Amino acid sequence: MHRRDFLKAAAVAVAVLPAEAAGEPAQRRVFSMNRNWLFGGKAVAGAASPDFNDRHFQRVTIPHTNVVLPWHSFDDKDYQFVSIYRRHFRLPRELQGRRVFVDFAGAMTATTVTINGKRLGEYRGGYTPFSFELTPSVNWSGNNVLAVEVDSTERADIPPFGGNIDYLTFGGLYREVSLRIVPEIFIDNVFAKPVDVMSPDRKVDVQVGLNGAAGANAPLTLTVELRDGDRLLKLATQEIGAGGGADFQDVALTGIGNVDLWDLDHPRMYQVVVKLSGSKGTLDEYSVRIGFREATFTPEGFRLNGKHLKLRGLNRHQTFPYVGGAMPARVQRRDALILKKELKCNLVRTSHYPQSPHFLDACDDIGLLVFEEIPGWQHIGENPWQDIALRNVGEMIRRDWNHPSIILWGVRINESRDNHDFYTRTNELARRLDDSRQTGGVRYNYASEMLEDVFTMNDFGFPLQQPNQLRYLNTEFVGHTYSTKRTDNVERIAEHGLRHARVHNQLGSSDRYAGGIGWCAFDYNTHGNFGSGDRICYHGVSDIFRIPKPAAGFYRSQCDPGEEVVIEPGFNWASGDRSGAGGPGRVPIWSNCERLKVYLDGKLRSELRPDAKTFAHLVHPPFFVDLSGLPLNPWGDLKIEGYIGEKLAIAKTYSGRGVDAQLHLEPDDTELDGDGIDATRLILRVTDEYGGPRQFASGAVALSIEGPGEIVGENPFGLVGGVGAVWIKSKEAAGTVSVTARHAVLGSKSVTIRVRQVAAEGV
Ligand code: GAL
């Protein structure tokens, strides 16, 4: 998919009206309900009552964080409170008689929903979707008030809480809300499971979940279509006798012939459309996206569509600066793109919980494999807590079972101790719901009980232990053992990348290792008892703004030069940034070229070949250049040329002047939807005159904004390590947003972002 279309797809992914889109009468109507919310901050007694005076509430859109925070050095208690959201709405009269549900994609951490004064209950869990039926209490002819109290305290009764956790959860209605209006009998969920994908007899076993069918007093028919866009590839129908409607119906799509497989380079998606009809025509329609692929962990490593693939991944926390998890589709999708295109990963672990559906959709679209796991961190609570965790297994799988990108279900609380009964239950449930994927359960102890299919192990040691278990995947390494900031000295910066490279090298040494997932992709906010003094874990190969550190160069350099020719110095170019003087020392250059030439002040200093001896098992071993004992006068520019065959494929220059030369403003996108939800990152960067990093650039960047947009982030922004970012969020209007950044020394820069007109919400 073209890059722009990929991100555009993001903005429309929330509310789908499949029947309308196909030009047929819509039986099911799904209205996005992300605008026109009223937010009252801390909840007070009576705030859920329909006639509570909410005129002083703030008008907000969803995703929403209960408080916008600095990017570091804040107290988690700042977001730990119970907040109140209210939404007034009117229902389309022509739909009267149908059932009405409100669907929450995720709220942190316990949510009590009240409709027109009737309290419907509390949902406990911050990472999984939930719904409430509103039907008996809605008003079809007048105003309705939905009141939502969100408890964002760390409740010990709900996973992941009860012990310590090394990350923050933040608060609020941080994922989308929608209103679903369906007939009496409707389709609840569809699992379209490709089976025997590699054989000519491949088929799709479709399991249709129905709601209300048990009460049907007339025969019903299910029609299941396999589609490639407008093209119908296969059709199957099935009668359901009156009154015999079980909750689940199985329909098989057989004889489907040739299909394109889903793989990393060609992540081909198809659609399965299920229609439920009665004597008067179509009652409901439900469509899911699927991909045909076979993904298996074997004793000899991982195989995708029968081919061996060494897994090279990073862990991702879902939190962003300022707003925690409350970023819209476009920003969620961007993270997948960063992991695949900037960090060249083929796998991501959603540590330590189910993440945004937009992120997972993007993984499907671009071909990035996913290991998804249930919420939790080291602590296992008492039985009621375990029941919630078990419920989370089911919720995660039922939400995400159609994603071809997901290859493994994590059914153990990350790094928890053995608990035979509990993990017997989680494994049994995962296998019963989805026998097409293996289970994993992330552990820290080689001697722990193995109830899962894949031994998923956090081994932070080096060298790694030889796995005594078949089907082995290292799920975390480096992390806290080598926390590294962009502003650290050069020895540390170089060593940070090398530690990741050494582990991947060892993982490459034997097929018994399926591969590894480093800790981690991005720095993240954490509690005061973890991380650095500003409560950030600087464990990322990229920073909290998703801007690569030098260690990211290792990951980036592992791609085929046909995709991108890479040269990334694994160090900063300076003479005295290590113990001793005369240059950075013997340092790595991450590159996928065949040889490099390094010039100092215009003079050739070294011709280099990759160190294939020490790093024999990396696809692209690092180059090492000896930059010690350098002449200090003249001290000059560093130029690196990369050659493939005889051809000069890339050249990069880093200034020796030691001067901050340019201010850059880099928006990820130049168009947004004018829904008050859409947002894009705006990177602030100071560079040398060649565009190279200025690791110690600081100073305030003052931002001003005009037009239908707002700044999410600190303003003025105090640069650290020469970089930083804010997000530009659209307002509910169309026009042109113009952002100007001013730096006391480097002057000013402006960018514009077009904001498109979008339709109002239907309810
Ligand atoms: C692991 C843990 C991660 C993170 C990491 C830091 O033990 O699973 O969540 O805390 O350490 O390196």
Side-chain angles (χ1 to χ4, degrees), residues 159-170:
F161 304 121
N164 285 312
I165 60 170
D166 169 25
Y167 50 97
L168 298 185
T169 46
F170 296 87

Side-chain angles (χ1 to χ4, degrees), residues 160 230 285 427 490 536 675:
D230 290 341
E285 180 173 319
N427 274 284
V490 76
I536 284 191
D675 52 9

Side-chain angles (χ1 to χ4, degrees), residues 166 352 377-378 414-415 458 460 476 479-480 519 524 539:
D166 169 25
H352 303 296
W377 202 84
Q378 295 188 351
N414 171 64
E415 292 190 338
N458 290 351
F460 281 91
E476 288 185 34
H480 63 283
W519 190 268
Y524 55 96
H539 303 170

Side-chain angles (χ1 to χ4, degrees), residues 165-167 315 317 349 351-352 373 376-378 414-415 442-444 458 460 475-482 519-520 524 526 530 537 539:
I165 60 170
D166 169 25
Y167 50 97
N315 283 274
H317 265 304
R349 170 170 169 230
S351 49
H352 303 296
E373 69 186 349
W377 202 84
Q378 295 188 351
N414 171 64
E415 292 190 338
V442 172
R443 62 200 66 235
Y444 65 94
N458 290 351
F460 281 91
T475 37
E476 288 185 34
F477 46 88
V478 185
H480 63 283
T481 65
Y482 215 75
W519 190 268
C520 57
Y524 55 96
T526 191
F530 295 95
C537 279
H539 303 170

Side-chain angles (χ1 to χ4, degrees), residues 4-214:
R4 201 166 137 237
D5 294 339
F6 166 79
L7 290 159
K8 209 163 139 205
V12 294
V14 184
V16 243
L17 303 177
E20 282 187 338
E24 291 171 21
Q27 303 298 320
R28 150 191 306 260
R29 298 290 305 268
V30 181
F31 298 94
S32 73
M33 224 196 200
N34 296 316
R35 297 161 69 179
N36 300 310
W37 282 86
L38 297 173
F39 178 63
K42 288 193 179 141
V44 295
S49 133
D51 42 16
F52 183 81
N53 181 356
D54 56 19
R55 260 175 300 165
H56 60 286
F57 279 26
Q58 186 197 352
R59 189 159 166 241
V60 299
T61 56
I62 310 293
H64 183 259
T65 180
N66 61 2
V67 53
V68 178
L69 294 157
W71 67 268
H72 64 163
S73 301
F74 60 87
D75 191 339
D76 49 278
K77 292 283 179 302
D78 294 350
Y79 63 73
Q80 287 198 44
F81 57 90
V82 182
S83 54
I84 173 75
Y85 293 81
R86 289 166 62 91
R87 177 68 157 76
H88 297 254
F89 65 96
R90 299 176 89 84
L91 290 164
R93 281 293 284 276
E94 68 277 13
L95 300 180
Q96 183 159 3
R98 303 204 190 164
R99 295 171 69 183
V100 183
F101 291 81
V102 60
D103 297 332
F104 294 87
M108 196 60 76
T109 298
T111 309
T112 303
V113 176
T114 304
I115 179 76
N116 299 330
K118 168 105 177 92
R119 187 181 182 279
L120 300 178
E122 181 188 63
Y123 176 81
R124 296 177 192 175
Y127 298 98
T128 33
F130 55 96
S131 301
F132 284 100
E133 180 159 14
L134 309 180
T135 319
S137 307
V138 289
N139 179 359
W140 283 97
S141 54
N143 189 35
N144 292 279
V145 187
L146 191 63
V148 183
E149 285 153 298
V150 184
D151 183 352
S152 303
T153 62
E154 299 190 350
R155 294 231 323 232
D157 58 328
I158 306 173
F161 304 121
N164 285 312
I165 60 170
D166 169 25
Y167 50 97
L168 298 185
T169 46
F170 296 87
L173 275 180
Y174 80 103
R175 287 186 194 154
E176 287 82 358
V177 185
S178 48
L179 194 76
R180 176 166 46 106
I181 305 183
V182 288
E184 193 59 33
I185 306 171
F186 66 92
I187 302 168
D188 212 12
N189 198 339
V190 169
F191 181 19
K193 182 179 71 177
V195 178
D196 294 333
V197 166
M198 303 303 287
S199 104
D201 299 329
R202 64 185 62 83
K203 56 174 183 158
V204 184
D205 278 345
V206 183
Q207 191 182 66
V208 182
L210 295 173
N211 185 310

